[in-house]
Each structure stands twice: as C-alpha cells, then as structure tokens.
Amino acid sequence: MNSEPPEERGAPVGRRVFLGTLGLGALGVLAAPTLQRGLEAFLGGAADKDPTGLTGLLPNGGGFRYYSVASSVPHKSAADYRLTVGGLVERPASYTLAELRALPQTRLVRDVQCVTGWRVPDTPFEGVRLSRLLDAAGVRAGAGAVRFTCFDGAYTESLTLDQARRADVLVALRMRDEDIGHAHGGPVRLYVAPMYFYKSAKWLSGITVTEDVRPGYWEERGYDVDAWVGRSNGRDDDPTS
Ligand SMILES: Nc1nc2c(c(=O)[nH]1)N[C@H]1C(S)=C(S)[C@@H](COP(=O)(O)O)O[C@H]1N2
Ligand SMILES: [Mo]
C-alpha cells in the first residue's frame, strides 16, 4: 500500500545532506527549536518540560517534536472551530467540528517523517478524506491546486489538486487514537501521509481551491513543494542515505 521503495522506509534523513542541499532554507530549520521552546512556554507546561531547556531539541510526547512557526497560537474549542472551503468551487462551505466528525472517517497508520531527520513509526491518524470535502464543494474547471491556511495566522501549505485528491490525504481529527490536542495542531490538522510532515499543516482553518500551487511557509524558505518522503529535499542525490 505504501508507494515508497521499502529500503527507503526507516532510513533517517541525513542532516548533512539536508544542510548541504538547501543552504539558506536550512537556517530556518535550525531556528525551529527556539520557536518550539516558545510554544512550550506558551503552553505553560502542557508539553514535557525539562529544566535544562533542551526539551526543544529532544523527541518528546512519544517521539514527536512540537513545531510552530508562530510563538503563540489561539486555542479553538469544539464550539469556536470552523473550517472553510472556498476559492474555485461551486459550493463554498464552513464546517463545524461536529459536522466534520459526522462525516465518514478514514484511519491510516504510517510513519511520520520530518525532513530534519526525526521519525515516528506507525502513527495512526484519522479524519475525513480531503477528496470528500473537495467533491462536496464541487471543484470548478480551471482549478489546479489547493491552498491551506491555519489559525496560527502564519503557516500555509499547498498541494496540487491531484495530490489533494489522494486517498491518503486527510483532514485529520485524531492522531494516535486521540482527538488532536492543541500542541499537535488540534482540533483539526491536515495529514498528508506520503509526504514529509511539514505538509501536514497544523491548526487548519481554510482550504482554498486555486489555479496554481503557491509555495507554503517552509517552501518559500527552501523546502521542496513536492515533498514525497524519500524522493525530495535532496534525498535522491545522496548515495549514502
Ligand atoms: N501551522 C503549522 N503547521 C505545521 C508546522 C508549523 O510550524 N505550523 N510545522 C510543520 C512541521 S515542519 C512539522 S515536522 C510538523 C510537526 O508536527 P507536530 O508539532 O505535531 O510534531 O508540523 C508541520 N505543520
Ligand atoms: Mo518538520
């Protein structure tokens, strides 16, 4: 079911390769742990903390690292949350969390892979197929891409329409068989199973169908727009990886 060559699954992404390939873009990655500590401070101990201040550099919460490019992110309850679907569609929509929960749910178990090298094996995600929401909205002729916006006010992502319609791309409500908590982008995040985890936008608030792909937050800073695990961000070129 997984389209990656098996020998590439589980291999860590070489940091050296990454730095060597992306140049300036990598500086943003090196800054990320600082932002992560900022988020943990904001969460006020909701994330594991350690007195050395190294929490941001170490895997926590079951192997995940918390990433946010925004230093603080508003909390959205089930009552506050809305997901809008608009742009080049026949029927723009706004979903509450209850409405999303009432739609058929798909559960996928895959490895999570961040492009900076950390990986969490066999992680369940569950939610509504993005293709279902696109079909419900009625994508108009001339559309070629989907853009994602987040209620952190900063992060963006995008997929081609073909990528967005894959069966392994979810508007995720659950992660590790629990409702997605705030730190991991709850109540709703995108989950793009076959791509590096930066595609999986947290705190998802808007889905906009567009003509062309617009590079997302990290992609403007050097990451590949097509983020296939094992086949992007310099992975192809490195004989030792
Ligand atoms: N809104 C938002 N989504 C985001 C990010 C972010 O900073 N902001 N970081 C991305 C990156 S680089 C990774 S590796 C994952 C991290 O998800 P986690 O914090 O649940 O581990 O979220 C992705 N989605
Ligand atoms: Mo990442």
Side-chain angles (χ1 to χ4, degrees), residues 29 32 35-36 39 63-70 73 112-116 118 120 125 149-157 175 180 183-185 189-190 196-204 217-218 223:
V29 172
L35 295 166
Q36 184 176 347
L39 174 64
F64 281 89
R65 302 183 189 190
Y66 298 115
Y67 275 129
S68 174
V69 299
V73 180
V112 158
Q113 175 74 65
C114 174
V115 77
T116 57
W118 57 275
V120 186
F125 281 84
T149 47
C150 305
F151 63 80
D152 63 7
Y155 205 74
T156 56
E157 253 307 335
M175 174 174 162
I180 299 178
H184 285 299
R189 80 182 294 170
L190 188 67
Y196 287 110
F197 207 28
Y198 62 84
K199 280 286 173 185
S200 295
K202 298 161 63 162
W203 307 297
L204 183 65
Y217 182 93
W218 281 120
Y223 286 16

Side-chain angles (χ1 to χ4, degrees), residues 72-142:
S72 80
V73 180
H75 287 242
K76 295 273 185 191
S77 68
D80 296 340
Y81 180 78
R82 293 292 181 280
L83 175 64
T84 60
V85 182
L88 297 175
V89 297
E90 304 291 348
R91 296 171 293 278
S94 170
Y95 292 88
T96 64
L97 195 55
E99 287 167 340
L100 290 171
R101 284 179 177 148
L103 295 171
Q105 307 289 305
T106 299
R107 184 172 180 272
L108 300 173
V109 183
R110 301 281 190 281
D111 296 352
V112 158
Q113 175 74 65
C114 174
V115 77
T116 57
W118 57 275
R119 191 174 69 92
V120 186
D122 301 328
T123 305
F125 281 84
E126 200 175 329
V128 181
R129 285 210 170 105
L130 177 58
S131 64
R132 171 176 292 274
L133 300 184
L134 294 174
D135 288 348
V139 174
R140 298 215 306 248

